[in-house]
Amino acid sequence: MAAVAERPLALLRRYVGRWGLWLALAALPVYFGIHDLTHGYQAGFVHGHEVIRHDLSNLGFNLVEGLSNGAIWAMIAIGYTLVYGIIELINFAHGDVFMIGSLTAAGLWGTLGLGLATGPVGLTAGLLLTLVVCMAVCGSLNVLIERVGYRPLRNAPKLAPLITAVGFSFILQNVGLLWIGGNPIGVNDLIHENDTVFHISGVIVHRADVLALAVMIPLVIALTWFLGNTRPGKAMRATAQDPEAARLMGINVNSTISLTFLIGGMLAGAAGLVYALYETNVWYFQGFEAGLIAFTAAVMGGIGNVRGAVLGGLLIGCIQEMSDSRLGPQWTEAVVFGYLILVMVLRPRGLLGEETREAG
């Protein structure tokens, strides 16, 4: 019998492979870097005349801003990927849990009296306390959502918990609407986000950039250690691989799932605090866009993979920043989702994704 011809798309995937996909992802910064070196970019005005520079400082600034913005998406994306990895549910309410974290942070700053005149010691202590409270509030809220809305539907058709997640998303949006109203609310620039911390080869690094990465990196390291070295973390991994086998081995699957929602909510709360400091405003509808971007990051990196969620968040942050500053904000969503489609076509499991239970 003649061999069946390989389909063109499968042939493309086989020959392009992961390295070809990485080259495609690198095309945007490489192109802009070459453009800056050859054509230059505007670096201000002197005596009414444009100053044109030919170096990579502008691209470096785009990458720094993108990484700091992507750190926020990464913390939210981890919540999506943890929940999907353990119960294969897309928790659409997760973005709005993040929004509640931002509102909690802004409200607590007023209660604690944190303002522009607060000293460094008081500000540091107040922000650390706010971080702990936001993580506790969002973690508890996520556990409550799981206990009330998802656990009773554990054995129901998959569409039922999915629609329930959408319902919780609308409920939390209305909570935010009642809390602060329908318009974005500005908050004090407590950290003076645009103050320069240091320079790297002409690239300016601001306080907001340092803050986002300084919160994200320790939390991701702690989560990675927790999943790999603690008994509850190993229980989470076992439940993600096979819930029934985990139950037979004596693991309390319900408690493990609740712990997963707790951790995801805590990371969303931390992201909510950083977002409020980073953007200096909060809005009841901010969770919709953030949740969509973070879910995209989780899928691009490989849904169910924590490292993939972080990688996807950082990549999308960089893509957004380069598109905003080079092509214009009106093109950003198209560019981001164009990259997502490219990744899905060439590697359907995502950049670091592995086989899931559902996929066999």
Side-chain angles (χ1 to χ4, degrees):
M1 182 181 293
V4 178
E6 192 170 4
R7 294 182 179 180
L9 184 56
L11 190 65
L12 178 65
R13 289 172 181 164
R14 184 161 64 87
Y15 280 106
V16 170
R18 182 180 293 184
W19 292 111
L21 184 56
W22 283 112
L23 290 175
L25 290 170
L28 199 63
V30 168
Y31 169 77
F32 288 136
I34 294 174
H35 181 275
D36 287 351
L37 290 174
T38 56
H39 295 82
Y41 62 92
Q42 181 182 319
F45 292 87
V46 174
H47 304 299
H49 299 284
E50 290 185 357
V51 176
I52 304 298
R53 296 178 60 180
H54 296 266
D55 57 33
L56 297 177
S57 297
N58 195 33
L59 178 63
F61 179 75
N62 292 153
L63 294 177
V64 169
E65 291 289 304
L67 289 174
S68 60
N69 197 32
I72 301 174
W73 308 141
M75 286 189 283
I76 307 172
I78 290 173
Y80 280 107
T81 209
L82 284 176
V83 170
Y84 185 87
I86 201 165
I87 60 173
E88 295 182 347
L89 168 69
I90 302 171
N91 182 17
F92 282 114
H94 190 67
D96 296 288
V97 173
F98 151 78
M99 176 270 296
I100 294 297
S102 288
L103 300 192
T104 301
L108 193 57
W109 292 336
T111 302
L112 296 175
L114 298 181
L116 298 177
T118 306
V121 176
L123 183 62
T124 302
L127 290 179
L128 287 175
L129 176 60
T130 305
L131 177 64
V132 173
V133 172
C134 288
M135 293 177 72
V137 168
C138 292
S140 301
L141 177 60
N142 223 24
V143 172
L144 178 64
I145 290 173
E146 187 276 330
R147 183 66 183 86
V148 173
Y150 301 152
R151 187 177 298 182
L153 301 174
R154 191 72 51 76
N155 297 317
K158 288 188 179 295
L159 187 61
L162 189 66
I163 295 301
T164 302
V166 175
F168 272 113
S169 175
F170 282 109
I171 290 172
L172 293 179
Q173 283 184 23
N174 279 270
V175 170
L177 182 62
L178 292 172
W179 191 340
I180 64 169
N183 297 316
I185 302 297
V187 297
N188 289 329
D189 185 7
L190 297 178
I191 62 170
H192 303 286
E193 60 164 341
N194 289 322
D195 286 3
T196 301
V197 179
F198 53 86
H199 296 76
I200 303 176
S201 300
V203 178
I204 300 174
V205 179
H206 296 132
R207 286 188 177 183
D209 305 323
V210 175
L211 170 74
L213 294 172
V215 173
M216 187 271 288
I217 292 173
L219 289 177
V220 171
I221 292 174
L223 175 61
T224 303
W225 176 85
F226 176 83
L227 292 176
N229 297 279
T230 66
R231 190 179 183 89
K234 293 176 181 178
M236 288 172 59
R237 291 161 54 199
T239 303
Q241 290 177 4
D242 192 328
E244 292 304 319
R247 186 176 286 109
L248 292 174
M249 295 300 293
I251 295 174
N252 189 327
V253 172
N254 285 332
S255 297
T256 302
I257 293 174
S258 294
L259 176 62
T260 304
F261 275 83
L262 175 66
I263 293 173
M266 290 173 68
L267 288 168
L273 167 69
V274 174
Y275 182 91
L277 290 170
Y278 195 93
E279 299 291 342
T280 64
N281 69 75
V282 295
W283 189 30
Y284 84 98
F285 202 60
Q286 73 183 46
F288 174 79
E289 180 182 2
L292 184 61
I293 294 172
F295 178 65
T296 302
V299 173
M300 181 182 289
I303 194 74
N305 187 302
V306 173
R307 292 178 301 165
V310 175
L311 176 62
L314 296 178
L315 283 175
I316 286 182
C318 292
I319 293 170
Q320 283 183 310
E321 180 60 30
M322 285 187 285
S323 178
D324 283 344
S325 63
R326 309 287 186 137
L327 304 177
Q330 68 273 18
W331 290 100
T332 299
E333 292 183 0
V335 173
V336 168
F337 284 97
Y339 265 102
L340 175 65
I341 293 170
L342 175 67
V343 172
M344 291 295 98
V345 168
L346 296 180
R347 189 168 174 81
R349 299 174 195 167
L351 294 172
L352 302 181
E354 299 174 355
E355 201 77 57
T356 64
R357 297 196 310 269
E358 190 176 70

